[in-house]
Every structure is written in structure tokens, then in C-alpha cells.
Amino acid sequence: MKSIKVLSYVFVALALVALTACFSSRIPEPSKTSEATFAPLETENAEPAKKKKEVVVGFTLQNLSNPFFVAMSKGATAGAMLHGADVITVSAEGDLAKQTAQIKDFIARKVNVILLNAVDSKGIAGAVSQAREEGIPVIAVDVGADGGVNTVVTSDNFLAGKLAGEYIVKRLNGKGNVVVIDGPPVSAVTDRIAGFEEAIKDTPGIRVVTKKNGYGNRDISVSMMETIFQAYKKGGIDAVFATNDPSGVGAKIAAEQAGSDKEMFIVGVDGAPDAVNALKEKKSFVATSAQYPFEMIKLAMDEGFKVLKGEKIESLIKIPVDLITQDNVETYKGW
């Protein structure tokens, strides 16, 4: 009987040990880190962690038919990724009313920053003012804009025109008839014209025989130059200064069709892929003042985020340009 009691105690003891082991296996030992590293247990009343607010950038540009603006749109995407933001890119198709509506849409969406490549530097002023009244920074890129933008990030367009003009003066030995292909009513174009005029002002032998608006478009410039070639006898035009490369390439096409390409030359602005190809042909398209649109828009994005952080920024930021000719085109990286 005594042995039965002893066995009973043994069984009970073993059972208690087993039960204790069972519970202890479900409760992990606390780590040896400090108590501050432990997260509180969730309860029904606990508030979920607040998600970081997404930053959205609205970007409206002149059009997407020009490779320059295509490169700029790619730069905007890359810049937004670097800042962990989203970017909404829209094309105004050269229409001021459409661009105005796009900015108003950005305001309604409550975007954090607006990047603006203006169709019309003066005409867009009202939309810019409205955005600023709503507390949205506006960064003008490539061309200036009225209405109170925070800054303008642009190529040195005056220098672009000046380099082109100096090259034309040198190549013509200070004497010749020049056609100027103007462009849209934006600051970049007017600055290029001003730079060109500065370059030729002390060379009376260089004469601008006509200045027409090609609207920055290749096909329009082809048609316009065809009319000009008809108005002047063969050999009456020595050079063309085009305020952008699509216009310059259009002038090249028209010159070839008129059989005048061997007696004149063309200088553009942009450094666009089509211009690079034309330079490599070593025919009538001889030079272009190259811009860097991809880097330009990324810099504009950086400036916008500085404003969001409350940092002070310059009112005008100019990016240098380079003259690319048939002689150095092989070393030009392009965009």
C-alpha cells in the first residue's frame, strides 16, 4: 500500500513537470535587449500607424511632339523617383487655354509642387498666381513665366543665341544675308534672339533679310522656308539661324528641296537627336547650341523640394550650353 502511494506521488510529480514544460514552450524567453525595443501589444483601442503622406508633383509642358520635351518628361520621372514622389506629366499641345486648365486641375488635386514649361510666358500669369494663392510652389523650367513663380530653371538661352550668332559671323567672314526663324512667345526664344542680335550687332556686313515664326515646328518651318526661297534668287540667302533644332532641320529639308543646300548653312539650338544626325551628315546643318533637358528638369524638381522644406532658393538658375559643330559632334553625348 505504501508503495502504491509512492508511485502515485511520482506520477503526480511527473504530470506537473510535463504540464510546466508544455506552458513554458509556448512563452518565448524575453530577449536580452532593452525594454525600450519592445513594441506594445495591439488592442482594440490602439490607433494604426500613420502612413507618410505621398508627395505629388504636377508637370505641364508645351508639347510631346518635340524630342526636347520628351527628354524633359523622362527627367521629371527620374527626378520624382529620387525624391520618392509621384509626378503627373501632361502636354499642353501648344495651347495656352489647355495649359491654364491643366494648372487649375493640379490645384484641384492639391498637388504639392507644380513644374511649368510655359506655352506663353505672359499669358500663363493668371494660373500661376492662382496656384501660389493656394500655397503651391511653381517652378518654371526651360522658359520663364509671369505670375510669381518661385524660380526659373533654364538654359542660358542668351548665350545659346550668342554662340550661334558668333559662329555665323565667323563662318561668313563678317558678310552675308541671314534668315532668322523665330518661335513661340516664351522667354527662351526671346533670349536666344537677343543673344544672336548681340553677336552680330558690331558686324554691319551681316544682314538679317527676314525673320519669320516657325513656331518651333519642323513641318511649319519647311513650308515657311519654301516661301522664303521663292522670294529670293538663288544664292540670296547665306545662312539661317533657327531658334530650335526642329525649325533648323525643317530649314535643311527646304534648302535641299530648293537645291540651295550647298550655297548656305543652318545653325540651330537644342542639341536634339535629329540635329546630331544632321551634323554627322556634314551637309548644310553645321552647328547647334546644345541644351541638357534631362538634367534641367531634375534640377527644377530639386528646387521644388527645397521650397517644400522651407529653404531659400535663387530666383533664376541658368544652365550652361555648348556649341556642337560638325567638328566636335562625335564627342557630344546628346540626350
Side-chain angles (χ1 to χ4, degrees), residues 27 46 70 80 91 112 117 136 144 176 187 218 234 246 258 275 309 316:
I27 304 174
V70 174
S91 171
N112 302 91
N117 171 238
I136 302 173
S187 62
R218 189 185 74 171
K234 197 170 178 65
K309 293 174 184 175
L316 176 63

Side-chain angles (χ1 to χ4, degrees), residues 6 40 57 60 82 84 92 102 123 129 142-143 169 176 192 209 219 227 250 271 274 294 302 318 321:
V6 170
V57 177
T60 170
L82 289 174
Q102 288 169 346
S129 297
D142 179 44
V143 298
V169 170
R192 290 169 197 173
V209 293
D219 294 338
T227 303
D274 283 352
F294 192 91
D302 291 343
K318 289 185 178 182
V321 297

Side-chain angles (χ1 to χ4, degrees), residues 61-330:
L61 41 65
Q62 291 183 33
N63 65 72
L64 283 171
S65 61
N66 185 333
F68 180 85
F69 299 123
V70 174
M72 195 177 282
S73 70
K74 291 177 180 177
T77 300
M81 288 178 65
L82 289 174
H83 287 283
D86 269 356
V87 61
I88 304 167
T89 301
V90 292
S91 171
E93 308 299 337
D95 187 333
L96 175 60
K98 187 171 184 177
Q99 189 164 66
T100 299
Q102 288 169 346
I103 292 177
K104 289 182 177 180
D105 180 59
F106 287 155
I107 295 170
R109 292 188 187 207
K110 300 186 184 300
V111 301
N112 302 91
V113 179
I114 293 174
L115 302 182
L116 169 64
N117 171 238
V119 168
D120 184 324
S121 295
K122 295 182 184 294
I124 202 64
V128 172
S129 297
Q130 188 176 344
R132 292 301 307 278
E133 287 171 5
E134 296 296 325
I136 302 173
V138 181
I139 311 297
V141 59
D142 179 44
V143 298
D146 292 354
V149 296
N150 293 78
T151 187
V152 181
V153 180
T154 182
S155 297
D156 190 335
N157 288 295
F158 183 87
L159 178 60
K162 190 169 185 286
L163 289 174
E166 289 172 347
Y167 183 86
I168 289 172
V169 170
K170 184 177 180 180
R171 190 166 178 123
L172 289 177
N173 294 315
K175 187 175 181 180
N177 294 333
V178 181
V179 170
V180 174
I181 304 181
D182 207 338
V186 293
S187 62
V189 173
T190 56
D191 286 350
R192 290 169 197 173
I193 295 290
F196 170 79
E197 291 174 346
E198 174 69 20
I200 68 170
K201 72 176 185 178
D202 295 326
T203 311
I206 299 294
R207 190 165 71 96
V208 175
V209 293
T210 187
K211 182 168 75 171
K212 299 287 185 181
N213 194 340
Y215 297 95
N217 182 280
R218 189 185 74 171
D219 294 338
I220 292 174
S221 296
V222 169
S223 178
M224 185 190 73
M225 284 301 301
E226 286 174 345
T227 303
I228 291 173
F229 282 126
Q230 289 169 6
Y232 290 86
K233 65 180 182 178
K234 197 170 178 65
I237 297 171
D238 301 298
V240 173
F241 169 55
T243 51
N244 79 343
D245 281 342
S247 295
V249 172
K252 172 183 177 291
I253 293 169
E256 290 171 350
Q257 291 174 348
S260 300
D261 54 306
K262 290 180 174 59
E263 61 200 36
M264 56 160 291
F265 64 87
I266 300 142
V267 178
V269 176
D270 277 344
D274 283 352
V276 171
N277 292 335
L279 288 172
K280 289 179 178 179
E281 290 178 1
K282 296 189 181 299
K283 294 182 179 179
S284 61
F285 196 102
V286 297
T288 179
S289 295
Q291 305 187 82
Y292 301 94
F294 192 91
E295 290 76 10
M296 186 194 303
I297 190 67
K298 285 174 66 179
L299 178 57
M301 186 83 70
D302 291 343
E303 295 304 301
F305 277 85
K306 284 180 184 178
V307 175
L308 290 180
K309 293 174 184 175
E311 298 178 21
K312 289 185 177 180
I313 62 174
E314 299 293 327
S315 61
L316 176 63
I317 300 170
K318 289 185 178 182
I319 300 171
V321 297
D322 298 298
L323 187 70
I324 309 303
T325 69
Q326 292 177 349
D327 295 328
N328 65 8
V329 66
E330 298 298 338

